[in-house]
Amino acid sequence: MADLPVPGPELTSGDGAGGSLDPEAIGRLVPEPVLDLLRTLWEAGHPAYVVGGSLRDALLGRRAKDWDLATAALPEQTVELFPGAVYENRFGTVAVRRGGETYEITTFRSDHDYADFRRPHRVEFGTSLEADLARRDFTVNAMAWGRHAGADETRAEAILIDPFDGRDDVARRTLRAVGEPLRRFEEDALRMVRAVRLAATLGFTIEPATLRGIQARAPLIAHLSGERIATELGLLLAADEPSVGLRLLAYTGLLAPISEELAAQSGIAQNKVEGEDLWDHTLRTVDAAINHPVVRLAALVHDIGKPATAADGHFHGHEVVGAEVARAFLDRLHEPRAVAEQVTHLVRNHMFGYETTWSDAAVRRFIGKVGPDSINELFALREADNVGSGQPLSAGGLDELRARVAAELAEGPVLDRSALAIDGADLMAELGIEPGPGLGRVLEGLLERVIEDKSLNTAPTLLLLARQLVADDR
């Protein structure tokens, strides 16, 4: 399995030596607010533990983002212990605010009847930590640090509970499903995408049986909501080298159910980097993009229209088709409208071609077309596309265009009708122009003249120009 496209240790984001921490050392990494929550539960007679990814990250020497707790206390009992706590779900999770942070405390449970490959239809609360850990996705997430109830508050009393050898898998940087992989993925198909994301972001290798399980159950991804896929995809794209996870999505068969159009890029020839196809170009572009969520997402889909437009080695109009395909893809993921519109806008405009002979007015037209708020993101996408094409970062005169754009923006150029010295009401009142398409044509004509010459943007001048435009339109 040495040739599998999975990451090696050199891609890890952690600084520590995996598995090197003893239980007491782990305790020193647990934030004081979390210890206070544990102590409260212990003193009330409830076993309580830190569980999940926070322990994995502690063993890796990484700073944990979320500290989740599990306890034998029923949700109602937990709520009574923590004034202001919120319990509004059927999964036994109580949210507690401490020090400006929200911590989740969940009752030990077992899940039953996963009929839709997404979520349990029945949740049963219990008192067994081992049963609770057995329902989790991967061994590295199926560990717990804490202790049974008692008055002693010292951290040294806490122990590491590790029934599935997750600590050893952390040390080996191996991702292994808890129990039978097929069953885990049939319970929740998102676990397959999460496996790829964790492999990419943590520098882990997916062990063979788990990898085969993903390949066997990849079609189940079709049952997932777009929102859940979008969340995992966003986390994957934030990795230091997203191509690791994206290649793994393709290798395991997960990519096609997520986006047939992206999967179709594999094998399509491009005259860019020798020996690499369109999919390779996309991956190079994503890796080269700055770690900005909109830019990374736009880099992923910037050429999504090429498979549909491929003809005789060319992809005419792929940016226009790509914008439509990208929008449909982002809508399937239920991305927020603002995100979908911005990414689509970047895709539609990413093929701009700058010439040093552009006049200042041409630069202003470019700014007006792209929009001042989108310029930097479009330049970042073009830089990534350049690198993905085997070219220098600023190929195509990008540095010069950026400088000229900055100079124009510093002067406050007129970019749309709102910046004109007069508006439609003025034209109707002063010149008697009727509302309708003709009024819009006059305003567009005035805007074009002011883009050419900013000194024309005064009310008297524009009214005279408008009168000429009306006469020419008759």
Side-chain angles (χ1 to χ4, degrees):
M1 307 297 287
D3 58 343
L4 294 181
V6 291
E10 69 277 8
L11 296 180
T12 182
S13 301
D15 299 323
S20 64
L21 300 179
D22 58 31
E24 187 172 356
I26 294 174
R28 289 193 291 270
L29 297 176
V30 178
E32 195 61 36
V34 177
L35 289 172
D36 287 341
L37 298 176
L38 290 171
R39 292 185 187 114
T40 299
L41 289 162
W42 293 336
E43 291 169 359
H46 304 297
Y49 298 83
V50 172
V51 294
S54 55
L55 284 185
R56 176 200 68 221
D57 289 343
L59 289 171
L60 286 168
R62 295 164 53 96
R63 176 175 296 179
K65 294 181 180 179
D66 300 307
W67 292 88
D68 296 327
L69 282 67
T71 180
L74 293 173
E76 295 79 7
Q77 294 173 310
T78 302
V79 169
E80 289 180 1
L81 290 173
F82 301 103
V86 178
Y87 173 50
E88 298 177 344
N89 60 83
R90 64 186 181 90
F91 300 109
T93 300
V94 176
V96 180
R97 293 283 294 178
R98 282 290 186 277
E101 300 288 337
T102 299
Y103 300 95
E104 294 186 345
I105 305 174
T106 304
T107 300
F108 297 155
R109 73 187 199 204
S110 56
D111 301 334
H112 302 276
D113 302 328
Y114 287 82
D116 59 2
F117 312 108
R118 291 183 293 178
R119 63 180 71 86
H121 284 268
R122 182 165 60 90
V123 173
E124 186 175 291
F125 300 141
T127 59
S128 170
L129 172 64
E130 286 72 17
D132 183 85
L133 296 177
R135 69 176 180 81
R136 297 177 183 267
D137 50 8
F138 307 108
T139 60
V140 296
N141 294 334
M143 298 178 286
W145 179 89
R147 59 184 173 86
H148 291 291
D152 190 345
E153 298 181 7
T154 62
R155 303 180 189 195
E157 293 294 322
I159 59 174
L160 181 67
I161 307 296
D162 183 18
F164 303 103
D165 298 323
R167 184 175 180 176
D168 289 342
D169 281 339
V170 169
R172 289 189 290 260
R173 298 193 180 278
T174 297
L175 207 60
R176 184 188 313 274
V178 173
E180 170 55 44
L182 293 179
R183 181 178 179 183
R184 291 286 84 81
F185 302 143
E186 288 167 357
E187 289 171 346
D188 185 355
L190 190 70
R191 288 169 171 169
M192 296 182 284
V193 184
R194 186 178 301 132
V196 170
R197 187 257 298 175
L198 290 173
T201 57
L202 298 179
F204 278 30
T205 296
I206 301 177
E207 64 90 24
T210 301
L211 187 67
R212 289 193 296 270
I214 294 174
Q215 293 170 313
R217 294 295 181 263
L220 297 181
I221 293 298
H223 295 274
L224 297 175
S225 69
E227 293 94 336
R228 299 184 76 201
I229 293 175
T231 297
E232 288 295 332
L233 185 60
L235 293 170
L236 190 159
L237 289 175
D240 290 341
E241 197 170 349
S243 64
V244 172
L246 294 171
R247 286 193 187 280
L248 196 48
L249 284 178
Y251 179 85
T252 56
L254 293 171
L255 183 62
I258 293 174
S259 171
E260 293 181 358
E261 298 85 359
L262 287 175
Q265 291 185 347
S266 182
I268 294 181
Q270 281 218 135
N271 186 24
K272 293 185 180 289
V273 178
E274 184 177 356
E276 295 189 356
D277 61 15
L278 176 57
W279 180 235
D280 293 318
H281 165 70
T282 291
L283 298 182
R284 276 181 172 269
T285 301
V286 175
D287 281 350
I290 60 173
N291 202 340
H292 180 290
V294 169
V295 176
R296 283 274 174 97
L297 189 54
L300 177 65
V301 299
H302 80 287
D303 279 348
I304 199 170
K306 280 189 172 179
T309 57
D312 300 324
H314 299 285
F315 309 95
H316 295 299
H318 78 272
E319 69 276 20
V320 177
V321 174
E324 297 175 357
V325 176
R327 182 58 189 260
F329 169 60
L330 297 172
D331 285 346
R332 290 198 304 272
L333 295 183
H334 299 291
E335 290 283 9
R337 178 180 297 179
V339 173
E341 290 178 350
Q342 180 67 353
V343 171
T344 301
H345 180 62
L346 295 176
V347 172
R348 184 179 292 109
N349 288 285
H350 82 277
M351 288 297 292
F352 67 89
Y354 171 68
E355 300 290 341
T356 58
T357 55
W358 274 17
S359 65
D360 291 343
V363 174
R364 290 193 289 271
R365 289 193 194 93
F366 173 74
I367 297 172
K369 179 182 179 182
V370 176
D373 295 337
S374 300
I375 286 287
N376 287 335
E377 291 177 359
L378 184 62
F379 284 160
L381 176 59
R382 169 54 68 85
E383 288 178 335
D385 197 7
N386 283 342
V387 174
S389 301
Q391 300 180 36
L393 189 74
S394 297
L398 199 57
D399 283 344
E400 179 179 310
L401 177 58
R402 180 184 281 112
R404 294 185 66 182
V405 165
E408 290 292 340
L409 290 175
E411 293 184 13
V414 176
L415 302 173
D416 57 43
R417 295 181 188 177
S418 66
L420 291 174
I422 63 174
D423 58 18
D426 296 320
L427 293 175
M428 290 187 287
E430 298 289 341
L431 301 180
I433 301 176
E434 296 293 328
L439 179 62
R441 287 194 295 271
V442 172
L443 287 170
E444 282 301 315
L446 294 176
L447 177 62
E448 181 64 22
R449 294 295 300 274
V450 171
I451 287 175
E452 289 282 351
D453 183 354
K454 290 180 286 186
S455 69
L456 299 178
N457 194 28
T458 66
T461 302
L462 292 181
L463 286 171
L464 292 174
L465 290 173
R467 190 166 60 189
Q468 295 174 11
L469 290 171
V470 170
D472 292 340
D473 200 33
R474 288 174 179 169

